[in-house]
């Protein structure tokens, strides 16, 4: 040992001795402890459990050699034997037992190996079946996936074909629309050309036919209107002349009537004493003259046309004139004929 205290003990025990002497001391010490331990164990324990035997020797001998400054680093029993072959007999028995156990172990091992081989084969078959099943499942899944892919490819192909056809139809439609637009433009241009041609023809007709015809019609219309205006003016002048003549003659008659009325008035005042009969006689004498004076302008008229849609209108006009006669006589003479019974009966005027 290298510790200072133990090194001092070792120096005290072995200083001055050679290595062999030190070995002999240590060997005798270990042999003594070995013999003491052998007395506590059976031969079977010593033979069968050598490690335990060596462990006990180390535990018992270590303190003693330690007090000499020596440390047991390793202690091993190489062999155990005796002079009467007891231990070898135990070895044979043990060998037989071991052989038996070995044969049994071999048989059990072979049995276990067979069982294990069968189990392995069964497991192998199970694994193979599972592998085949998985392969079949994988194959089925592959076929299904392949069918799904094929179906998807077919669908995509059909969709692409349909899209192509639709696009082609759209392009054809666009082309047709453009053709229609071109036709429309051409038609518009044709219509514009025809319109221009119609306008040109119309202008030509206007210049060659319509305007001369319109000029001639306008000239004829102006002539007709002039003739019409001429006739109207002549008629108006004639009517105005007749009206002026009538007014002049009426004014003369009125003046004569007033003079005659004044004369009659004077006569009436002079002959008031004669009463109504005298007045009647006077009026009756004056009426033919008044009628002649009133009718005098009409003698210069060739024809008088009474415009009416009713045949009874003439009669009603005559009756109206007769009814207005007393008023006219009263205005001219101051004599009210309607108050005379004989005149009332003749004219139908009642007071």
């Amino acid at each position: 040992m290298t510790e200072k205290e133990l090194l001092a003990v070792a120096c005290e025990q072995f200083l001055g001795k050679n290595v062999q002497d030190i070995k002999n001391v240590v060997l005798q010490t270990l042999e003594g402890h070995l013999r003491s331990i052998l007395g506590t164990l059976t031969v079977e324990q010593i033979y069968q459990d050598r490690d335990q035997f060596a462990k006990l020797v180390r535990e018992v001998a270590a303190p003693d050699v330690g007090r000499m400054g020596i440390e047991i680093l390793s202690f091993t029993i190489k062999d155990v034997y005796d002079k009467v072959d007891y231990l070898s007999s135990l070895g044979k028995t043990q060998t037989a037992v071991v052989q038996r156990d070995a044969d049994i172990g071999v048989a059990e091992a072979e049995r276990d190996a067979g069982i294990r081989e069968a189990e392995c084969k069964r497991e192998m078959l199970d694994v193979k079946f599972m592998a085949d099943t998985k392969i079949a499942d994988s194959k089925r899944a592959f076929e299904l996936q392949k069918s799904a892919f094929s179906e998807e490819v077919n669908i995509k192909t059909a969709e692409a074909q349909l899209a192509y056809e639709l696009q082609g139809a759209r392009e054809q439609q666009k082309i047709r629309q453009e053709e229609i637009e071109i036709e429309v433009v051409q038609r518009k241009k044709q219509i514009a050309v025809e319109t221009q041609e119609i306008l040109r023809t119309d202008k030509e007709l206007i210049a060659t036919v319509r305007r001369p015809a319109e000029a001639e019609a306008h000239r004829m219309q102006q002539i007709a209107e002039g003739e019409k205006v001429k006739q109207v003016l002549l008629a108006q002048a004639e009517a105005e002349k007749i009206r002026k003549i009538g007014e002049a003659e009426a004014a003369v008659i009125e003046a004569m009537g007033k003079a005659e009325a004044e004369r009659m008035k004077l006569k009436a005042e002079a002959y008031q004493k004669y009463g109504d009969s005298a007045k009647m006689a006077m009026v009756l004498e004056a009426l033919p003259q008044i009628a002649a004076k009133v009718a005098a302008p009409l003698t210069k008229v060739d024809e008088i046309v009474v415009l009416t849609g009713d045949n009874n209108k003439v009669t009603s006009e005559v009756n109206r004139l007769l009814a207005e006669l007393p008023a006219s006589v009263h205005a001219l003479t101051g004599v009210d004929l309607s108050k005379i019974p004989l005149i009332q009966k003749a004219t139908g005027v009642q007071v």
Side-chain angles (χ1 to χ4, degrees):
M1 295 180 182
T2 58
E3 295 181 6
K4 291 182 180 182
E5 295 178 357
L6 297 177
L7 184 59
V9 173
C11 290
E12 182 181 354
Q13 296 292 329
F14 299 109
L15 189 61
K17 294 181 180 181
N18 55 24
V19 176
Q20 189 60 40
D21 292 335
I22 296 172
K23 287 184 178 180
N24 290 330
V25 173
V26 174
L27 180 59
Q28 290 175 3
T29 302
L30 292 176
E31 286 178 351
H33 289 291
L34 181 59
R35 290 187 186 92
S36 63
I37 291 171
L38 285 175
T40 60
L41 297 175
T42 63
V43 178
E44 289 78 5
Q45 289 176 341
I46 296 169
Y47 187 75
Q48 294 176 357
D49 196 358
R50 296 182 184 182
D51 291 336
Q52 182 66 24
F53 180 34
K55 180 180 179 181
L56 291 173
V57 173
R58 287 194 302 273
E59 290 178 354
V60 173
D64 289 340
V65 297
R67 283 191 292 271
M68 291 185 293
I70 300 299
E71 182 182 4
I72 299 175
L73 299 177
S74 175
F75 180 80
T76 303
I77 296 175
K78 294 188 294 182
D79 192 10
V80 178
Y81 61 90
D82 62 330
K83 296 179 180 181
V84 294
D85 297 330
Y86 177 78
L87 294 177
S88 62
S89 297
L90 290 176
K92 290 180 180 179
T93 303
Q94 186 68 29
T95 302
V97 172
V98 170
Q99 186 66 35
R100 183 199 64 189
D101 293 338
D103 294 337
I104 294 172
V106 170
E108 291 178 351
E110 291 178 353
R111 181 199 64 188
D112 294 339
I115 294 171
R116 183 60 183 167
E117 183 179 1
E119 291 178 351
C120 289
K121 288 182 178 180
R122 181 176 60 81
E123 291 177 357
M124 180 185 69
L125 292 175
D126 292 339
V127 171
K128 185 176 182 299
F129 175 74
M130 292 178 67
D132 293 338
T133 303
K134 288 182 178 180
I135 291 170
D137 292 338
S138 299
K139 187 176 181 180
R140 180 175 60 84
F142 172 74
E143 294 295 334
L144 291 175
Q145 190 68 26
K146 183 178 179 181
S147 299
F149 288 159
S150 299
E151 182 179 1
E152 186 176 358
V153 170
N154 293 330
I155 292 172
K156 294 296 184 181
T157 303
E159 289 177 353
Q161 184 67 25
L162 180 60
Y164 174 76
E165 293 177 357
L166 289 175
Q167 187 64 29
R170 292 193 186 97
E171 294 297 330
Q172 291 295 329
Q173 185 178 6
K174 289 181 180 179
I175 293 171
R176 182 55 185 164
Q177 288 179 354
E178 291 178 357
E179 290 178 352
I180 292 172
E181 290 178 357
I182 293 171
E183 291 178 358
V184 169
V185 171
Q186 291 178 352
R187 184 58 181 166
K188 288 181 178 179
K189 290 182 179 179
Q190 184 178 359
I191 291 171
V193 172
E194 292 176 355
T195 303
Q196 294 296 327
E197 183 65 22
I198 290 170
L199 292 175
R200 187 189 66 78
T201 305
D202 191 19
K203 290 180 180 179
E204 184 177 355
L205 289 174
I206 290 171
T208 58
V209 178
R210 187 182 300 175
R211 286 184 178 175
E214 288 179 354
E216 183 64 24
H218 181 69
R219 186 179 68 81
M220 296 300 293
Q221 183 180 1
Q222 293 296 324
I223 292 171
E225 288 181 355
E227 189 65 28
K228 180 179 177 181
V229 171
K230 177 181 178 182
Q231 295 295 329
V232 171
L233 292 175
L234 289 175
Q236 290 179 354
E238 185 66 25
E240 184 67 20
K241 181 181 74 170
I242 294 171
R243 187 179 66 80
K244 294 295 184 179
I245 293 172
E247 289 179 355
E249 292 179 351
V252 171
I253 294 171
E254 183 180 1
M256 292 175 66
K258 288 182 178 180
E260 186 66 23
E262 184 65 26
R263 186 178 66 83
M264 290 300 294
K265 182 178 179 182
L266 294 174
K267 287 181 179 181
E269 290 177 356
Y271 298 104
Q272 188 175 4
K273 60 182 180 179
Y274 293 105
D276 293 332
S277 297
K279 293 179 180 181
M280 176 62 69
M282 184 179 61
V283 171
L284 291 176
E285 290 177 357
L287 283 177
Q289 297 177 1
I290 295 173
K293 294 296 184 181
V294 172
L298 297 178
T299 59
K300 298 179 180 180
V301 179
D302 296 332
E303 184 181 0
I304 297 177
V305 179
V306 180
L307 300 176
T308 177
D310 189 0
N311 294 330
N312 295 326
K313 188 70 175 180
V314 177
T315 305
S316 62
E317 290 294 329
V318 172
N319 291 332
R320 185 180 62 81
L321 291 173
L322 292 174
E324 293 177 354
L325 183 58
S328 299
V329 174
H330 183 269
L332 295 173
T333 63
V335 177
D336 191 359
L337 297 177
S338 62
K339 294 182 179 180
I340 301 172
L342 180 60
I343 301 302
Q344 290 178 358
K345 184 177 181 180
T347 61
V349 178
Q350 300 294 329
V351 179

